[in-house]
Amino acid sequence: MGKALIIGCGGVAGVAIHKCCQNSEVFEEICIASRTKSKCDALKAKLDGGKTKITTAQVDADHVDELVELIRRVKPDVVLNLALPYQDLTIMEACLATRTNYVDTANYEPLDTAKFEYKWQWAYRKRFEEAGITALLGSGFDPGVTGVFSAYAVKHHFDEINYIDILDCNAGDHGYPFATNFNPEINIREVSAKGSYWEEGKWIETEPMEIKRVYDFPEIGTKDMYLLHHEELESLGINIPGIKRIRFFMTFGQSYLTHLKCLENVGMTSIKPIDFDGRKIVPLQFLKAVLPDPASLGPRTKGKTNIGCIFQGRKDGREKTYYLYNVCDHQECYREVGSQAISYTTGVPAMIGTMLVMNGKWRKPGVYNIEEFDPDPFMDALNRWGLPWQESFQPDMVE
Ligand code: NDP
């Protein structure tokens, strides 16, 4: 049916590309382009031989002109951005210049400030609309599936939703005292930042890890979880009618937290460049270089993830609660695509969002967050492509 250009060839891209090849009716052709072309070639060598035609290319996605040249040469129907959040704006610029549809999984972050907000990408709305192309923002799991779950709950279960708690539990054990499950730089910037939640139209800020709750996760059991700021809170606060409060909680084990505190205390998580042996280095980037590569965790990680949303609101004049979640097994993911569940739960929705833009079901000119589209085709595709969802009408609530 069409051709996708996938930019980036890390953990998440590896899964999305496997899934595109499984879905060759839609993805007749893909081009994998990244900074290090040898990674793209190695993945092509692994996946070649199926129905999806694969090509590879080298690109530095920090440069709009390189991207424009690549997009003009490849002529994709959709560009799927699976590089880092720092490249979102350059890739969106190149899509505008070439009138090509755009999909990503994480919102833009300036390299020198650990702050993510949608304002930079929402500023492109008018230009995308005028160019007649679609930008789908945040097609991973969180953000991504959490927004689709919210749109599905609004459409099928509630007249109004007043409270949403997003719960992200990773009960996987990789055996290392400290490692991150996706890009360490992005992950540590996220968890060492101040927390916040959205209530009655305002942000309430907390100290990092200040709010702790305990939750009994289906198929996993009881875990400590901590309130974090997370990017989908910003768009859901606007797009879900009747909403009064949205919070995001993520589970962390004690070993992870102790190591993180120590690394913070000695300055290793700082993003301010320092002088070292006559050159400037960023401590967090150096830390990334010494930590295990998230892609290497796949064969070692055992256990499950459970990510979902608890909704509280009203239907037909009555109070109602509803919990939608997915449970994913690290080792099953590894057996299927050679990666752990964190990359899997992001790469599968990235493929699905790209498919829906490619086949026209989710095409409307402008820049949109995922909950602004009809959730039904996405929910069906989750069941078909490896992330089946489950629901509960009497969940334990988070206090
Ligand atoms: P990785 O670090 O594993 O992969 C990033 C890839 O991008 C690498 O191949 C890297 O190339 C490439 N890249 C980086 N900079 C450039 C550049 N300037 N030009 C071209 N390519 C570049 O990250 P992940 O796969 O873990 O994460 C990918 C994205 O997914 C991130 O934006 C992350 O925030 C997002 N994410 C979203 C989640 C969600 O649920 N929504 C969850 C997890 C991740 P090289 O190999 O040369 O380093």
Side-chain angles (χ1 to χ4, degrees):
M1 187 185 285
K3 192 194 284 187
L5 168 62
I6 298 167
I7 300 180
C9 193
V12 174
V15 175
I17 292 162
H18 266 88
K19 286 288 173 181
C20 290
C21 292
Q22 288 176 12
N23 190 2
S24 58
E25 263 174 39
V26 172
F27 294 93
E28 285 169 339
E29 198 174 332
I30 55 174
C31 174
I32 316 169
S34 192
R35 189 168 51 189
T36 312
K37 184 168 176 284
S38 56
K39 289 191 190 168
C40 311
D41 291 334
L43 193 57
K44 171 178 157 61
K46 212 155 129 191
L47 291 170
D48 254 347
K51 284 192 183 148
T52 303
K53 181 178 169 209
I54 306 173
T55 58
T56 62
Q58 199 279 331
V59 73
D60 183 344
D62 288 325
H63 300 292
V64 179
D65 52 342
E66 279 190 35
L67 289 161
V68 168
E69 194 274 320
L70 174 69
I71 297 173
R72 289 212 167 113
R73 185 154 42 86
V74 175
K75 298 187 180 58
D77 301 289
V78 184
V79 171
L80 171 57
N81 167 15
L82 295 176
L84 296 178
Y86 319 129
Q87 282 85 44
D88 287 5
L89 302 187
T90 45
I91 299 177
M92 287 178 83
E93 280 294 341
C95 284
L96 269 171
T98 55
R99 295 187 172 231
T100 312
N101 299 299
Y102 169 89
V103 177
D104 69 25
T105 64
N107 73 8
Y108 174 69
E109 262 185 83
L111 195 53
D112 54 359
T113 331
K115 187 172 181 60
F116 45 93
E117 276 182 65
Y118 277 113
K119 68 174 182 202
W120 291 286
Q121 291 182 278
W122 285 347
Y124 282 80
R125 278 173 178 152
K126 199 154 180 289
R127 291 169 72 201
F128 268 69
E129 225 176 283
E130 284 168 0
I133 51 173
T134 304
L136 166 61
L137 306 185
S139 191
F141 206 107
D142 42 347
V145 176
T146 52
V148 175
F149 281 176
S150 300
Y152 181 83
V154 170
K155 183 172 175 185
H156 297 286
H157 291 284
F158 289 92
D159 296 324
E160 66 175 60
I161 293 179
N162 306 126
Y163 301 96
I164 304 177
D165 279 329
I166 301 171
L167 310 189
D168 179 332
C169 171
N170 177 13
D173 182 5
H174 44 59
Y176 287 118
F178 185 79
T180 64
N181 290 291
F182 67 97
N183 185 290
E185 193 184 330
I186 306 295
N187 181 237
I188 291 174
R189 279 165 69 117
E190 175 177 282
V191 301
S192 52
K194 289 208 177 198
S196 69
Y197 59 99
W198 194 93
E199 188 164 46
E200 305 287 0
K202 289 197 299 280
W203 291 106
I204 316 287
E205 199 168 89
T206 70
E207 289 307 310
M209 309 288 175
E210 182 187 334
I211 298 184
K212 174 183 161 185
R213 297 284 186 272
V214 177
Y215 195 77
D216 189 3
F217 287 90
E219 296 185 41
I220 286 178
T222 303
K223 294 280 171 198
D224 293 344
M225 60 183 191
Y226 297 82
L227 185 139
L228 298 184
H229 175 69
H230 223 245
E231 62 196 63
E232 65 265 53
L233 305 188
E234 189 185 1
S235 67
L236 291 172
I238 294 168
N239 292 327
I240 301 301
I243 193 77
K244 292 182 179 158
R245 188 188 66 203
I246 315 180
R247 301 181 296 185
F248 181 97
F249 292 91
M250 191 177 271
T251 61
F252 294 101
Q254 201 47 54
S255 172
Y256 180 95
L257 292 177
T258 308
H259 280 77
L260 186 64
K261 185 82 285 58
C262 173
L263 291 165
E264 267 169 6
N265 286 345
V266 298
M268 281 307 297
T269 59
S270 167
I271 59 171
K272 282 212 182 86
I274 55 156
D275 283 318
F276 179 75
D277 260 0
R279 56 181 292 213
K280 292 242 180 269
I281 64 161
V282 173
L284 181 56
Q285 286 173 359
F286 180 77
L287 176 64
K288 173 180 183 248
V290 297
L291 286 176
D293 177 358
S296 71
L297 301 179
R300 309 169 53 104
T301 308
K302 298 188 173 71
K304 292 179 179 175
T305 61
N306 177 330
I307 319 175
C309 305
I310 302 177
F311 304 99
Q312 212 179 331
R314 300 187 75 78
K315 179 75 180 170
D316 302 329
R318 289 210 184 137
E319 294 257 323
K320 181 172 178 183
T321 57
Y322 179 52
Y323 184 18
L324 256 175
Y325 60 91
N326 161 263
V327 175
C328 193
D329 185 287
H330 284 285
Q331 297 223 293
E332 278 175 23
C333 298
Y334 188 72
R335 273 194 292 278
E336 185 194 326
V337 297
S339 111
Q340 32 80 1
I342 304 301
S343 301
Y344 191 92
T345 52
T346 311
V348 171
M351 180 283 285
I352 295 173
T354 309
M355 168 178 80
L356 294 176
V357 173
M358 187 114 96
N359 67 18
K361 286 191 177 156
W362 275 17
R363 211 177 277 184
K364 50 181 177 180
V367 174
Y368 296 97
N369 291 91
I370 201 160
E371 65 273 12
E372 295 179 83
F373 291 92
D374 177 10
D376 292 352
F378 202 108
M379 292 292 276
D380 290 343
L382 284 171
N383 286 333
R384 172 158 184 213
W385 294 106
L387 293 176
W389 43 272
Q390 303 183 52
E391 56 191 358
S392 150
F393 292 90
Q394 286 182 318
D396 291 344
M397 301 305 288
V398 182
E399 76 179 73

